[in-house]
Amino acid sequence: MRAMFAQPAFRRLFAGMSTSMFGDSVMLLVLSMWVKSLTGSNAQAGLTFFWMVVPTFLAPLFGLYVDRLPPRRVLAWGSLASAIAVLPLTLVRDAGDVWIVWVVAFLYGISMIVLPAALNGLLKEIVADEQLVSANSSLQTVKEGFRLIGPIIGAGLFAWIGGWAVALVDAATFLAAAIIIGSMTLPDRKPEPAHGNWFHELSGGIKHLWSDRILRHTLVGLGLLLLVLGFTEASIYAIVDVFGKPVEFVSVIVTVQGIGALLGGLTATWWVRRIGEVGAFAVGALALAASLAVIAATENLTVFLIDVPLLGYAIPLIIVSFMTLIQRRTPLRLMGRVSTAAEVVMGSPQAISLALGAMLVSLISYHVIFAMMAVVITGAVVYLAVMLRGQLLRPVPAVPEEVHSGSL
């Protein structure tokens, strides 16, 4: 860890990403909260997250160009574009302007595809292979740590001044990140020349994911998890209604969840180094299923708040293990396309989950919804245990840079 932070390039990258992560933590919950307050609809609030996921269907196009450009420049200019993209939120006044929130959510979704893909490539350039999990864990810990204060700040600004103030804060953090990352003194890597036709280049990420047995099955397990996890986005407002709390109470729930998430980020490196990326992923998924099962079984606010940190603990463990697995199993020349291809495979079930969750919350009890999630996620772990039984509890080897996707 010390050696990693001793590198000026990583310190600058860490500072820039931490700044934009703070803005994300302040803004993302406010988008759905804003729609809920304008329309009074849990379903429409849940659909806000659906619009964030829609751009994943275009992700391979973004990935192709991320691989053709220096990742540092993509991160810097992409952060600047994100700052501009959130500014239309300052025009939202009433329910007739909900479409503006959804357009910004769509643009935010593009940002959430392009910037992480560029970040994966830049991390692989400046961080040694054995330090990747520590780098991912450090960034995820900061991201989850902001959940302790970001949602409260965002909800407070939203209630006190209005959503336009939150938008300005988010834009300012993106702008700061663009300046910090753009000032990195790092020689830009020359991308490899294109091989084959445009479609061959475009599909390179998907081919790599499919040809790598470990990535393929882990991605299927993650897809099963995401097929139901999106139910929470609309259901959380139904839970708040049952407890008789105002919509802003969601920020309290997210902050409590952040306590567990912070611990999850801090311990993710420990899990990965002892049982490997796939094993850590499975542990995180089991913890998530257990937490969802408790929520399904209770209407007690105290029990709910005690359980929520376990849900928070699981998420960064899943994310860090999966992102490290992708970075270690993917050659640098394919990193952008593989990252965005994974977004497509993940985004499809996530989009279905968000849309279906928005419908289910109006039809059935949240108890049934959360029970369904717990069962399906447990099934995802069983799938991994069967398909990767020889790899489940041991570290995954890295793929050498010279290995091409078609030979795996």
Side-chain angles (χ1 to χ4, degrees), residues 300-330:
N300 184 290
L301 180 58
T302 301
V303 173
F304 175 80
L305 292 177
I306 291 174
D307 174 69
V308 163
L310 178 60
L311 187 151
Y313 182 87
I315 299 297
L317 188 54
I318 292 169
I319 293 173
V320 169
S321 56
F322 182 70
M323 294 312 301
T324 305
L325 184 65
I326 281 190
Q327 291 162 357
R328 299 189 67 241
R329 298 290 298 176
T330 302

PDB file of all heavy atoms in Angstrom, residues 300-330:
ATOM      1  N   ASN A 300     -39.606  -4.120  11.658  1.00  0.00           N
ATOM      2  CA  ASN A 300     -39.079  -3.398  12.806  1.00  0.00           C
ATOM      3  C   ASN A 300     -37.951  -2.492  12.343  1.00  0.00           C
ATOM      4  O   ASN A 300     -36.954  -2.958  11.776  1.00  0.00           O
ATOM      5  CB  ASN A 300     -38.583  -4.400  13.861  1.00  0.00           C
ATOM      6  CG  ASN A 300     -38.121  -3.713  15.127  1.00  0.00           C
ATOM      7  OD1 ASN A 300     -37.096  -3.037  15.145  1.00  0.00           O
ATOM      8  ND2 ASN A 300     -38.870  -3.892  16.197  1.00  0.00           N
ATOM      9  N   LEU A 301     -38.078  -1.199  12.579  1.00  0.00           N
ATOM     10  CA  LEU A 301     -37.091  -0.239  12.097  1.00  0.00           C
ATOM     11  C   LEU A 301     -35.720  -0.480  12.713  1.00  0.00           C
ATOM     12  O   LEU A 301     -34.695  -0.363  12.038  1.00  0.00           O
ATOM     13  CB  LEU A 301     -37.557   1.189  12.400  1.00  0.00           C
ATOM     14  CG  LEU A 301     -36.617   2.320  11.952  1.00  0.00           C
ATOM     15  CD1 LEU A 301     -36.362   2.254  10.451  1.00  0.00           C
ATOM     16  CD2 LEU A 301     -37.189   3.678  12.341  1.00  0.00           C
ATOM     17  N   THR A 302     -35.672  -0.853  14.001  1.00  0.00           N
ATOM     18  CA  THR A 302     -34.387  -1.094  14.669  1.00  0.00           C
ATOM     19  C   THR A 302     -33.664  -2.279  14.038  1.00  0.00           C
ATOM     20  O   THR A 302     -32.465  -2.214  13.742  1.00  0.00           O
ATOM     21  CB  THR A 302     -34.613  -1.348  16.167  1.00  0.00           C
ATOM     22  OG1 THR A 302     -35.253  -0.213  16.749  1.00  0.00           O
ATOM     23  CG2 THR A 302     -33.282  -1.595  16.860  1.00  0.00           C
ATOM     24  N   VAL A 303     -34.409  -3.372  13.820  1.00  0.00           N
ATOM     25  CA  VAL A 303     -33.810  -4.555  13.182  1.00  0.00           C
ATOM     26  C   VAL A 303     -33.315  -4.199  11.785  1.00  0.00           C
ATOM     27  O   VAL A 303     -32.223  -4.601  11.363  1.00  0.00           O
ATOM     28  CB  VAL A 303     -34.832  -5.704  13.116  1.00  0.00           C
ATOM     29  CG1 VAL A 303     -34.276  -6.869  12.294  1.00  0.00           C
ATOM     30  CG2 VAL A 303     -35.195  -6.173  14.516  1.00  0.00           C
ATOM     31  N   PHE A 304     -34.114  -3.442  11.061  1.00  0.00           N
ATOM     32  CA  PHE A 304     -33.756  -3.037   9.704  1.00  0.00           C
ATOM     33  C   PHE A 304     -32.440  -2.243   9.703  1.00  0.00           C
ATOM     34  O   PHE A 304     -31.538  -2.524   8.909  1.00  0.00           O
ATOM     35  CB  PHE A 304     -34.889  -2.200   9.112  1.00  0.00           C
ATOM     36  CG  PHE A 304     -34.580  -1.618   7.762  1.00  0.00           C
ATOM     37  CD1 PHE A 304     -34.688  -2.385   6.615  1.00  0.00           C
ATOM     38  CD2 PHE A 304     -34.188  -0.294   7.639  1.00  0.00           C
ATOM     39  CE1 PHE A 304     -34.407  -1.843   5.362  1.00  0.00           C
ATOM     40  CE2 PHE A 304     -33.903   0.256   6.400  1.00  0.00           C
ATOM     41  CZ  PHE A 304     -34.016  -0.525   5.254  1.00  0.00           C
ATOM     42  N   LEU A 305     -32.323  -1.278  10.597  1.00  0.00           N
ATOM     43  CA  LEU A 305     -31.123  -0.443  10.629  1.00  0.00           C
ATOM     44  C   LEU A 305     -29.896  -1.203  11.111  1.00  0.00           C
ATOM     45  O   LEU A 305     -28.765  -0.880  10.732  1.00  0.00           O
ATOM     46  CB  LEU A 305     -31.366   0.785  11.511  1.00  0.00           C
ATOM     47  CG  LEU A 305     -32.375   1.809  10.968  1.00  0.00           C
ATOM     48  CD1 LEU A 305     -32.590   2.934  11.966  1.00  0.00           C
ATOM     49  CD2 LEU A 305     -31.915   2.374   9.625  1.00  0.00           C
ATOM     50  N   ILE A 306     -30.103  -2.226  11.938  1.00  0.00           N
ATOM     51  CA  ILE A 306     -28.976  -3.071  12.372  1.00  0.00           C
ATOM     52  C   ILE A 306     -28.499  -3.949  11.216  1.00  0.00           C
ATOM     53  O   ILE A 306     -27.301  -4.228  11.069  1.00  0.00           O
ATOM     54  CB  ILE A 306     -29.388  -3.935  13.582  1.00  0.00           C
ATOM     55  CG1 ILE A 306     -29.591  -3.050  14.820  1.00  0.00           C
ATOM     56  CG2 ILE A 306     -28.350  -5.017  13.865  1.00  0.00           C
ATOM     57  CD1 ILE A 306     -30.137  -3.792  16.020  1.00  0.00           C
ATOM     58  N   ASP A 307     -29.438  -4.364  10.368  1.00  0.00           N
ATOM     59  CA  ASP A 307     -29.119  -5.268   9.266  1.00  0.00           C
ATOM     60  C   ASP A 307     -28.487  -4.550   8.074  1.00  0.00           C
ATOM     61  O   ASP A 307     -27.635  -5.124   7.384  1.00  0.00           O
ATOM     62  CB  ASP A 307     -30.395  -5.981   8.807  1.00  0.00           C
ATOM     63  CG  ASP A 307     -30.185  -6.825   7.562  1.00  0.00           C
ATOM     64  OD1 ASP A 307     -29.486  -7.853   7.658  1.00  0.00           O
ATOM     65  OD2 ASP A 307     -30.694  -6.435   6.495  1.00  0.00           O
ATOM     66  N   VAL A 308     -28.880  -3.312   7.823  1.00  0.00           N
ATOM     67  CA  VAL A 308     -28.448  -2.600   6.623  1.00  0.00           C
ATOM     68  C   VAL A 308     -26.921  -2.530   6.466  1.00  0.00           C
ATOM     69  O   VAL A 308     -26.412  -2.635   5.339  1.00  0.00           O
ATOM     70  CB  VAL A 308     -29.080  -1.190   6.588  1.00  0.00           C
ATOM     71  CG1 VAL A 308     -28.366  -0.279   5.604  1.00  0.00           C
ATOM     72  CG2 VAL A 308     -30.546  -1.288   6.198  1.00  0.00           C
ATOM     73  N   PRO A 309     -26.123  -2.366   7.537  1.00  0.00           N
ATOM     74  CA  PRO A 309     -24.664  -2.370   7.345  1.00  0.00           C
ATOM     75  C   PRO A 309     -24.124  -3.657   6.722  1.00  0.00           C
ATOM     76  O   PRO A 309     -23.110  -3.610   6.011  1.00  0.00           O
ATOM     77  CB  PRO A 309     -24.124  -2.176   8.772  1.00  0.00           C
ATOM     78  CG  PRO A 309     -25.185  -1.397   9.460  1.00  0.00           C
ATOM     79  CD  PRO A 309     -26.476  -1.958   8.924  1.00  0.00           C
ATOM     80  N   LEU A 310     -24.788  -4.801   6.960  1.00  0.00           N
ATOM     81  CA  LEU A 310     -24.340  -6.042   6.329  1.00  0.00           C
ATOM     82  C   LEU A 310     -24.513  -5.952   4.815  1.00  0.00           C
ATOM     83  O   LEU A 310     -23.647  -6.394   4.051  1.00  0.00           O
ATOM     84  CB  LEU A 310     -25.128  -7.236   6.882  1.00  0.00           C
ATOM     85  CG  LEU A 310     -24.789  -8.605   6.257  1.00  0.00           C
ATOM     86  CD1 LEU A 310     -23.320  -8.954   6.478  1.00  0.00           C
ATOM     87  CD2 LEU A 310     -25.696  -9.692   6.832  1.00  0.00           C
ATOM     88  N   LEU A 311     -25.630  -5.364   4.383  1.00  0.00           N
ATOM     89  CA  LEU A 311     -25.840  -5.143   2.951  1.00  0.00           C
ATOM     90  C   LEU A 311     -24.746  -4.228   2.416  1.00  0.00           C
ATOM     91  O   LEU A 311     -24.189  -4.461   1.335  1.00  0.00           O
ATOM     92  CB  LEU A 311     -27.231  -4.538   2.734  1.00  0.00           C
ATOM     93  CG  LEU A 311     -27.721  -4.389   1.290  1.00  0.00           C
ATOM     94  CD1 LEU A 311     -29.243  -4.479   1.255  1.00  0.00           C
ATOM     95  CD2 LEU A 311     -27.264  -3.078   0.680  1.00  0.00           C
ATOM     96  N   GLY A 312     -24.440  -3.181   3.187  1.00  0.00           N
ATOM     97  CA  GLY A 312     -23.381  -2.269   2.778  1.00  0.00           C
ATOM     98  C   GLY A 312     -22.027  -2.952   2.691  1.00  0.00           C
ATOM     99  O   GLY A 312     -21.241  -2.673   1.785  1.00  0.00           O
ATOM    100  N   TYR A 313     -21.742  -3.859   3.621  1.00  0.00           N
ATOM    101  CA  TYR A 313     -20.461  -4.574   3.626  1.00  0.00           C
ATOM    102  C   TYR A 313     -20.297  -5.413   2.357  1.00  0.00           C
ATOM    103  O   TYR A 313     -19.201  -5.517   1.799  1.00  0.00           O
ATOM    104  CB  TYR A 313     -20.392  -5.474   4.856  1.00  0.00           C
ATOM    105  CG  TYR A 313     -19.085  -6.217   4.996  1.00  0.00           C
ATOM    106  CD1 TYR A 313     -18.005  -5.638   5.645  1.00  0.00           C
ATOM    107  CD2 TYR A 313     -18.923  -7.503   4.477  1.00  0.00           C
ATOM    108  CE1 TYR A 313     -16.800  -6.310   5.774  1.00  0.00           C
ATOM    109  CE2 TYR A 313     -17.726  -8.183   4.593  1.00  0.00           C
ATOM    110  CZ  TYR A 313     -16.664  -7.579   5.246  1.00  0.00           C
ATOM    111  OH  TYR A 313     -15.463  -8.254   5.357  1.00  0.00           O
ATOM    112  N   ALA A 314     -21.393  -6.001   1.905  1.00  0.00           N
ATOM    113  CA  ALA A 314     -21.327  -6.937   0.782  1.00  0.00           C
ATOM    114  C   ALA A 314     -20.994  -6.252  -0.540  1.00  0.00           C
ATOM    115  O   ALA A 314     -20.228  -6.795  -1.356  1.00  0.00           O
ATOM    116  CB  ALA A 314     -22.659  -7.683   0.668  1.00  0.00           C
ATOM    117  N   ILE A 315     -21.547  -5.070  -0.775  1.00  0.00           N
ATOM    118  CA  ILE A 315     -21.430  -4.437  -2.085  1.00  0.00           C
ATOM    119  C   ILE A 315     -19.978  -4.146  -2.493  1.00  0.00           C
ATOM    120  O   ILE A 315     -19.549  -4.535  -3.588  1.00  0.00           O
ATOM    121  CB  ILE A 315     -22.281  -3.147  -2.144  1.00  0.00           C
ATOM    122  CG1 ILE A 315     -23.761  -3.468  -1.929  1.00  0.00           C
ATOM    123  CG2 ILE A 315     -22.067  -2.431  -3.473  1.00  0.00           C
ATOM    124  CD1 ILE A 315     -24.374  -4.356  -2.971  1.00  0.00           C
ATOM    125  N   PRO A 316     -19.166  -3.462  -1.663  1.00  0.00           N
ATOM    126  CA  PRO A 316     -17.781  -3.207  -2.088  1.00  0.00           C
ATOM    127  C   PRO A 316     -16.958  -4.483  -2.226  1.00  0.00           C
ATOM    128  O   PRO A 316     -16.036  -4.533  -3.052  1.00  0.00           O
ATOM    129  CB  PRO A 316     -17.222  -2.296  -0.983  1.00  0.00           C
ATOM    130  CG  PRO A 316     -18.104  -2.518   0.181  1.00  0.00           C
ATOM    131  CD  PRO A 316     -19.453  -2.818  -0.372  1.00  0.00           C
ATOM    132  N   LEU A 317     -17.270  -5.494  -1.453  1.00  0.00           N
ATOM    133  CA  LEU A 317     -16.556  -6.762  -1.573  1.00  0.00           C
ATOM    134  C   LEU A 317     -16.809  -7.371  -2.953  1.00  0.00           C
ATOM    135  O   LEU A 317     -15.884  -7.868  -3.619  1.00  0.00           O
ATOM    136  CB  LEU A 317     -17.004  -7.712  -0.466  1.00  0.00           C
ATOM    137  CG  LEU A 317     -16.229  -9.022  -0.303  1.00  0.00           C
ATOM    138  CD1 LEU A 317     -14.742  -8.749  -0.160  1.00  0.00           C
ATOM    139  CD2 LEU A 317     -16.748  -9.788   0.908  1.00  0.00           C
ATOM    140  N   ILE A 318     -18.043  -7.318  -3.401  1.00  0.00           N
ATOM    141  CA  ILE A 318     -18.399  -7.817  -4.727  1.00  0.00           C
ATOM    142  C   ILE A 318     -17.727  -6.981  -5.812  1.00  0.00           C
ATOM    143  O   ILE A 318     -17.141  -7.516  -6.763  1.00  0.00           O
ATOM    144  CB  ILE A 318     -19.933  -7.805  -4.904  1.00  0.00           C
ATOM    145  CG1 ILE A 318     -20.580  -8.843  -3.987  1.00  0.00           C
ATOM    146  CG2 ILE A 318     -20.319  -8.079  -6.359  1.00  0.00           C
ATOM    147  CD1 ILE A 318     -22.093  -8.737  -3.900  1.00  0.00           C
ATOM    148  N   ILE A 319     -17.787  -5.664  -5.671  1.00  0.00           N
ATOM    149  CA  ILE A 319     -17.249  -4.766  -6.697  1.00  0.00           C
ATOM    150  C   ILE A 319     -15.729  -4.873  -6.795  1.00  0.00           C
ATOM    151  O   ILE A 319     -15.174  -5.011  -7.895  1.00  0.00           O
ATOM    152  CB  ILE A 319     -17.657  -3.313  -6.394  1.00  0.00           C
ATOM    153  CG1 ILE A 319     -19.176  -3.148  -6.555  1.00  0.00           C
ATOM    154  CG2 ILE A 319     -16.920  -2.344  -7.324  1.00  0.00           C
ATOM    155  CD1 ILE A 319     -19.684  -1.799  -6.106  1.00  0.00           C
ATOM    156  N   VAL A 320     -15.033  -4.811  -5.659  1.00  0.00           N
ATOM    157  CA  VAL A 320     -13.564  -4.855  -5.677  1.00  0.00           C
ATOM    158  C   VAL A 320     -13.072  -6.175  -6.254  1.00  0.00           C
ATOM    159  O   VAL A 320     -12.150  -6.202  -7.083  1.00  0.00           O
ATOM    160  CB  VAL A 320     -12.998  -4.633  -4.258  1.00  0.00           C
ATOM    161  CG1 VAL A 320     -11.500  -4.940  -4.222  1.00  0.00           C
ATOM    162  CG2 VAL A 320     -13.251  -3.208  -3.799  1.00  0.00           C
ATOM    163  N   SER A 321     -13.661  -7.285  -5.841  1.00  0.00           N
ATOM    164  CA  SER A 321     -13.214  -8.591  -6.328  1.00  0.00           C
ATOM    165  C   SER A 321     -13.462  -8.719  -7.829  1.00  0.00           C
ATOM    166  O   SER A 321     -12.595  -9.211  -8.580  1.00  0.00           O
ATOM    167  CB  SER A 321     -13.911  -9.721  -5.571  1.00  0.00           C
ATOM    168  OG  SER A 321     -15.319  -9.612  -5.662  1.00  0.00           O
ATOM    169  N   PHE A 322     -14.616  -8.254  -8.301  1.00  0.00           N
ATOM    170  CA  PHE A 322     -14.927  -8.379  -9.727  1.00  0.00           C
ATOM    171  C   PHE A 322     -14.044  -7.457 -10.570  1.00  0.00           C
ATOM    172  O   PHE A 322     -13.527  -7.874 -11.615  1.00  0.00           O
ATOM    173  CB  PHE A 322     -16.405  -8.071  -9.971  1.00  0.00           C
ATOM    174  CG  PHE A 322     -16.803  -8.233 -11.413  1.00  0.00           C
ATOM    175  CD1 PHE A 322     -16.868  -9.493 -11.999  1.00  0.00           C
ATOM    176  CD2 PHE A 322     -17.096  -7.123 -12.189  1.00  0.00           C
ATOM    177  CE1 PHE A 322     -17.225  -9.648 -13.331  1.00  0.00           C
ATOM    178  CE2 PHE A 322     -17.455  -7.267 -13.523  1.00  0.00           C
ATOM    179  CZ  PHE A 322     -17.521  -8.535 -14.093  1.00  0.00           C
ATOM    180  N   MET A 323     -13.855  -6.209 -10.147  1.00  0.00           N
ATOM    181  CA  MET A 323     -13.031  -5.297 -10.921  1.00  0.00           C
ATOM    182  C   MET A 323     -11.570  -5.750 -10.953  1.00  0.00           C
ATOM    183  O   MET A 323     -10.901  -5.644 -11.985  1.00  0.00           O
ATOM    184  CB  MET A 323     -13.123  -3.871 -10.347  1.00  0.00           C
ATOM    185  CG  MET A 323     -14.493  -3.232 -10.469  1.00  0.00           C
ATOM    186  SD  MET A 323     -15.225  -3.379 -12.115  1.00  0.00           S
ATOM    187  CE  MET A 323     -13.996  -2.569 -13.136  1.00  0.00           C
ATOM    188  N   THR A 324     -11.073  -6.270  -9.833  1.00  0.00           N
ATOM    189  CA  THR A 324      -9.697  -6.784  -9.824  1.00  0.00           C
ATOM    190  C   THR A 324      -9.568  -7.979 -10.746  1.00  0.00           C
ATOM    191  O   THR A 324      -8.568  -8.131 -11.462  1.00  0.00           O
ATOM    192  CB  THR A 324      -9.287  -7.177  -8.391  1.00  0.00           C
ATOM    193  OG1 THR A 324      -9.464  -6.059  -7.519  1.00  0.00           O
ATOM    194  CG2 THR A 324      -7.833  -7.614  -8.346  1.00  0.00           C
ATOM    195  N   LEU A 325     -10.581  -8.831 -10.761  1.00  0.00           N
ATOM    196  CA  LEU A 325     -10.576 -10.001 -11.644  1.00  0.00           C
ATOM    197  C   LEU A 325     -10.503  -9.561 -13.107  1.00  0.00           C
ATOM    198  O   LEU A 325      -9.716 -10.104 -13.894  1.00  0.00           O
ATOM    199  CB  LEU A 325     -11.844 -10.829 -11.405  1.00  0.00           C
ATOM    200  CG  LEU A 325     -11.954 -12.146 -12.181  1.00  0.00           C
ATOM    201  CD1 LEU A 325     -10.873 -13.119 -11.743  1.00  0.00           C
ATOM    202  CD2 LEU A 325     -13.339 -12.762 -11.984  1.00  0.00           C
ATOM    203  N   ILE A 326     -11.291  -8.578 -13.486  1.00  0.00           N
ATOM    204  CA  ILE A 326     -11.267  -8.084 -14.873  1.00  0.00           C
ATOM    205  C   ILE A 326      -9.902  -7.496 -15.211  1.00  0.00           C
ATOM    206  O   ILE A 326      -9.330  -7.772 -16.273  1.00  0.00           O
ATOM    207  CB  ILE A 326     -12.381  -7.034 -15.086  1.00  0.00           C
ATOM    208  CG1 ILE A 326     -13.719  -7.726 -15.286  1.00  0.00           C
ATOM    209  CG2 ILE A 326     -12.073  -6.136 -16.285  1.00  0.00           C
ATOM    210  CD1 ILE A 326     -14.830  -6.827 -15.741  1.00  0.00           C
ATOM    211  N   GLN A 327      -9.350  -6.681 -14.315  1.00  0.00           N
ATOM    212  CA  GLN A 327      -8.063  -6.047 -14.586  1.00  0.00           C
ATOM    213  C   GLN A 327      -6.949  -7.075 -14.724  1.00  0.00           C
ATOM    214  O   GLN A 327      -6.076  -6.948 -15.596  1.00  0.00           O
ATOM    215  CB  GLN A 327      -7.736  -5.051 -13.465  1.00  0.00           C
ATOM    216  CG  GLN A 327      -8.632  -3.835 -13.447  1.00  0.00           C
ATOM    217  CD  GLN A 327      -8.586  -3.097 -12.126  1.00  0.00           C
ATOM    218  OE1 GLN A 327      -7.917  -3.519 -11.181  1.00  0.00           O
ATOM    219  NE2 GLN A 327      -9.313  -1.986 -12.034  1.00  0.00           N
ATOM    220  N   ARG A 328      -6.960  -8.105 -13.885  1.00  0.00           N
ATOM    221  CA  ARG A 328      -5.876  -9.087 -13.898  1.00  0.00           C
ATOM    222  C   ARG A 328      -6.009 -10.105 -15.022  1.00  0.00           C
ATOM    223  O   ARG A 328      -5.019 -10.701 -15.441  1.00  0.00           O
ATOM    224  CB  ARG A 328      -5.792  -9.804 -12.545  1.00  0.00           C
ATOM    225  CG  ARG A 328      -5.495  -8.857 -11.384  1.00  0.00           C
ATOM    226  CD  ARG A 328      -5.188  -9.613 -10.094  1.00  0.00           C
ATOM    227  NE  ARG A 328      -3.950 -10.357 -10.197  1.00  0.00           N
ATOM    228  CZ  ARG A 328      -3.861 -11.676 -10.074  1.00  0.00           C
ATOM    229  NH1 ARG A 328      -4.939 -12.407  -9.851  1.00  0.00           N
ATOM    230  NH2 ARG A 328      -2.695 -12.282 -10.171  1.00  0.00           N
ATOM    231  N   ARG A 329      -7.231 -10.300 -15.518  1.00  0.00           N
ATOM    232  CA  ARG A 329      -7.448 -11.290 -16.570  1.00  0.00           C
ATOM    233  C   ARG A 329      -7.563 -10.668 -17.957  1.00  0.00           C
ATOM    234  O   ARG A 329      -7.882 -11.366 -18.926  1.00  0.00           O
ATOM    235  CB  ARG A 329      -8.730 -12.085 -16.274  1.00  0.00           C
ATOM    236  CG  ARG A 329      -8.719 -12.890 -14.984  1.00  0.00           C
ATOM    237  CD  ARG A 329      -7.788 -14.074 -15.036  1.00  0.00           C
ATOM    238  NE  ARG A 329      -8.159 -15.045 -16.059  1.00  0.00           N
ATOM    239  CZ  ARG A 329      -7.440 -16.137 -16.344  1.00  0.00           C
ATOM    240  NH1 ARG A 329      -6.302 -16.363 -15.706  1.00  0.00           N
ATOM    241  NH2 ARG A 329      -7.853 -16.986 -17.259  1.00  0.00           N
ATOM    242  N   THR A 330      -7.295  -9.359 -18.081  1.00  0.00           N
ATOM    243  CA  THR A 330      -7.474  -8.677 -19.364  1.00  0.00           C
ATOM    244  C   THR A 330      -6.205  -7.944 -19.778  1.00  0.00           C
ATOM    245  O   THR A 330      -5.654  -7.169 -18.996  1.00  0.00           O
ATOM    246  CB  THR A 330      -8.627  -7.649 -19.268  1.00  0.00           C
ATOM    247  OG1 THR A 330      -9.822  -8.318 -18.876  1.00  0.00           O
ATOM    248  CG2 THR A 330      -8.856  -6.970 -20.613  1.00  0.00           C
TER     249      THR A 330
END
